[in-house]
Amino acid sequence: EEVFDGPIVANMPKPGKIKKEEAIAELDATMMTLSNGMKVIYKKTNFKEDEIRFSAVSYGGISALPQDDPITLQALPELISIGGVGDFSAIDLPKVLAGKKVSVRPSISTYSESIGGMSTPKDLETMMQLIHLYFTSPRADKEAFQSYIERSRGMLENAELDPMVRFTDSLTSVMYGNHPLRMRMKAADLDKIDYEKAMEYYKDRFADPNNFTFYFVGNIDENQFKPLVEQYLASLKKNKRKENWKDINLGIPEKDNICHFTNQMQNPKTTIYMIINGKMDYNYRNELYMDALGDLMDIYYTRTIREEEGGTYGVGVMGQVMDKPKDAYLFLIAFDTNDEIYKKLMGKVYDGLNDIAQNGPAAEDLNKVIENFHKKRAEQLEENYFWMNALKRYNEDGINIEAEHDGIVKSINPQTLADFTKEIIKGWKKEIVQLPER
């Protein structure tokens, strides 16, 4: 195959300027304000000689678009890059990048539009060129769209035959009601997707670079980096629109909801999702306490439900603290079992949380959790991805996840974790249980 050796950006943009630089001393980083209003925050590291990572975010996302075509909005995240970018199709782009270690991918989610990727220092300019193109030259490809439709049709038709589809539909209904953006897409819906409208939505979401903040972390040579920032980022045309995400009623309902039902299946099993949700301040302390409780209950349920009862191969536990559409938490316990003992095991789930709330965790279990926290943190401090997230959290939320971590972990003890668990179990209970039809 021919190797592409032409310019990725055919018409080189007129460079903009770095208007202001200021140090973020707490994280040994620098924030630059560009002439088009864009913010760029970067941190030099030496963990990996051949890695520079970046992410960029602006708030709005699907929530800021017209809500009258939910099918197209649902498909939007997958549609925006199937056509490639600039002059290059999605098939040609890897050929253009042959021999380079670089990846860039735009995305649109419920509340934000973002772009992220990585490169080596040698391929940094190629990465910056791709970023520029994803802002200025999104590429529509009707053939790629038709191919996407046909692939999706086959997958969705097969999905209808899976008994777990009904479980997924029930879970979605309990969590989001019948919100059109969360309804499962069916094969017949594919014909309602408006590809042209989707690409217009993409252009709209990336039309205001001044609302984006970029975060770069890695082996950055400032003498190389800053001219590329001016050439490919500061040159993006400013749009004076200022916006933010909107509440489009996708919060988890603040009420109990018990949904038990039977379903025909060839291989009978009982699938259980138990969810507790409620109000909780979005802060780093609550996030770490939620992680600790999730890890602790994982140990607890492995011992009681899997080993002592022999009731399941494993119990999945996940806790999350969220800030959109409002500060809240979600605690999920999920497992498969059989219909003869499922009620007993569900009782064990609640018993476990009540036990921690009343008596605190066993010292041995808590020591394991804390030890794992320290081990994981030591690894994270040597990862560019961690520092990219640290910059974002500091800039957006004023949270220094590097400096605050050890003090919060030190505060975790049987009593503080018991008190935290008491708050969790006050929340609204949701059960989605699928039983085999007999």
Side-chain angles (χ1 to χ4, degrees):
E1 291 186 359
E2 291 181 21
V3 176
F4 178 85
D5 62 358
I8 292 179
V9 177
N11 300 309
M12 199 60 74
K14 181 184 175 184
K17 294 287 185 187
I18 297 169
K19 288 187 70 176
K20 183 181 176 185
E21 287 187 62
E22 49 196 309
I24 302 176
E26 294 87 345
L27 294 170
D28 191 22
T30 303
M31 179 162 76
M32 302 186 292
T33 303
L34 310 186
S35 50
N36 59 0
M38 182 183 281
K39 298 274 197 302
V40 175
I41 299 174
Y42 72 94
K43 177 180 175 67
K44 295 194 291 181
T45 68
N46 56 9
F47 310 132
K48 293 184 179 178
E49 286 187 9
D50 64 343
E51 183 178 274
I52 297 174
R53 286 185 174 271
F54 89 94
S55 72
V57 65
S58 165
Y59 288 97
I62 288 170
S63 75
L65 293 168
Q67 300 294 304
D68 58 352
D69 187 356
I71 299 297
T72 298
L73 290 178
Q74 275 196 50
L76 184 59
E78 291 187 68
L79 296 178
I80 59 176
S81 54
I82 61 171
V85 69
D87 296 329
F88 313 109
S89 70
I91 293 170
D92 289 337
L93 195 55
K95 300 174 188 175
V96 171
L97 301 176
K100 299 178 186 291
K101 192 176 177 183
V102 58
S103 67
V104 176
R105 186 170 181 84
S107 60
I108 300 175
S109 63
T110 304
Y111 301 113
S112 66
E113 44 277 342
S114 56
I115 186 166
M118 61 181 291
S119 77
T120 62
K122 179 170 66 75
D123 297 319
L124 177 60
E125 181 163 14
T126 301
M127 184 172 81
M128 300 294 268
Q129 289 173 336
L130 286 171
I131 294 169
H132 185 87
L133 287 177
Y134 276 116
F135 272 88
T136 60
S137 306
R139 185 178 185 277
D141 185 330
K142 289 189 176 177
E143 282 186 26
F145 173 64
Q146 286 307 319
S147 175
Y148 160 82
I149 291 293
E150 293 314 309
R151 284 196 316 274
S152 301
R153 197 181 304 279
M155 287 190 294
L156 293 176
E157 286 171 349
N158 287 334
E160 293 287 350
L161 306 175
D162 187 339
M164 284 304 292
V165 161
R166 189 173 168 205
F167 179 84
T168 305
D169 287 348
S170 300
L171 176 62
T172 303
S173 176
V174 167
M175 297 292 282
Y176 303 107
N178 293 316
H179 197 289
L181 286 181
R182 292 294 181 266
M183 297 292 283
R184 177 172 56 86
M185 192 175 289
K186 300 178 177 65
D189 293 327
L190 293 168
D191 298 324
K192 302 173 188 173
I193 296 173
D194 187 332
Y195 183 44
E196 285 185 18
K197 185 190 286 185
M199 293 310 292
E200 288 304 313
Y201 283 161
Y202 172 92
K203 291 174 189 174
D204 175 82
R205 293 295 80 221
F206 284 81
D208 41 8
N210 46 293
N211 285 340
F212 277 81
T213 300
F214 274 76
Y215 304 90
F216 288 87
V217 177
N219 186 14
I220 296 168
D221 177 346
E222 288 172 297
N223 293 327
Q224 175 202 24
F225 179 61
K226 289 180 180 179
L228 295 177
V229 167
E230 292 186 321
Q231 180 76 68
Y232 297 110
L233 299 185
S235 61
L236 293 167
K237 288 183 181 176
K238 182 175 183 176
N239 181 332
K240 292 183 179 178
R241 180 176 64 176
K242 280 283 182 188
E243 62 172 20
N244 209 330
W245 61 275
K246 296 176 182 175
D247 187 346
I248 50 174
N249 298 315
L250 273 170
I252 302 167
E254 296 178 343
K255 63 179 182 180
D256 294 337
N257 194 334
I258 309 300
C259 175
H260 294 205
F261 62 95
T262 60
N263 200 2
Q264 280 189 330
M265 51 187 85
Q266 279 187 314
N267 302 305
K269 67 174 181 176
T270 298
T271 299
I272 298 168
Y273 271 45
M274 302 170 70
I275 295 160
I276 308 174
N277 69 289
K279 298 171 182 175
M280 177 171 282
D281 290 342
Y282 177 75
N283 58 46
Y284 196 43
R285 179 192 182 276
N286 284 340
E287 285 181 71
L288 287 180
Y289 268 75
M290 186 66 84
D291 288 344
L293 181 60
D295 291 349
L296 191 70
M297 298 317 297
D298 192 275
I299 295 169
Y300 191 102
Y301 293 141
T302 297
R303 183 170 59 245
T304 57
I305 294 178
R306 178 179 172 175
E307 294 171 2
E308 293 174 8
E309 295 292 337
T312 182
Y313 287 114
V315 180
V317 183
M318 185 200 78
Q320 187 179 4
V321 184
M322 303 158 285
D323 64 338
K324 296 178 185 67
K326 56 186 173 184
D327 288 10
Y329 75 88
L330 171 77
F331 197 77
L332 165 70
I333 304 102
F335 59 98
D336 290 334
T337 186
N338 67 65
D339 55 352
E340 293 174 1
I341 59 169
Y342 83 97
K343 287 183 180 177
K344 180 181 181 183
L345 298 188
M346 289 176 73
K348 291 272 183 186
V349 167
Y350 289 127
D351 288 346
L353 285 166
N354 288 326
D355 183 21
I356 302 298
Q358 295 305 315
N359 306 310
E364 183 185 350
D365 292 349
L366 185 56
N367 288 340
K368 277 185 194 172
V369 170
I370 299 299
E371 190 179 311
N372 187 52
F373 266 35
H374 289 311
K375 182 185 173 188
K376 190 174 168 186
R377 175 46 54 110
E379 292 168 356
Q380 288 174 331
L381 291 173
E382 299 290 314
E383 293 173 356
N384 288 324
Y385 184 83
F386 167 82
W387 287 103
M388 198 164 62
N389 185 46
L391 295 178
K392 182 173 182 286
R393 295 300 300 275
Y394 185 81
N395 181 56
E396 291 190 1
D397 306 315
I399 295 172
N400 187 334
I401 65 173
E402 189 263 337
E404 294 179 29
H405 179 271
D406 288 354
I408 295 171
V409 172
K410 197 176 284 186
S411 77
I412 299 174
N413 59 49
Q415 186 58 56
T416 58
L417 204 53
D419 292 341
F420 183 79
T421 308
K422 283 175 187 159
E423 291 305 308
I424 296 295
I425 62 178
K426 286 179 186 174
W428 291 278
K429 313 290 190 299
K430 293 171 175 59
E431 297 174 3
I432 304 93
V433 179
Q434 178 172 266
L435 300 150
E437 204 168 76
R438 296 295 186 184

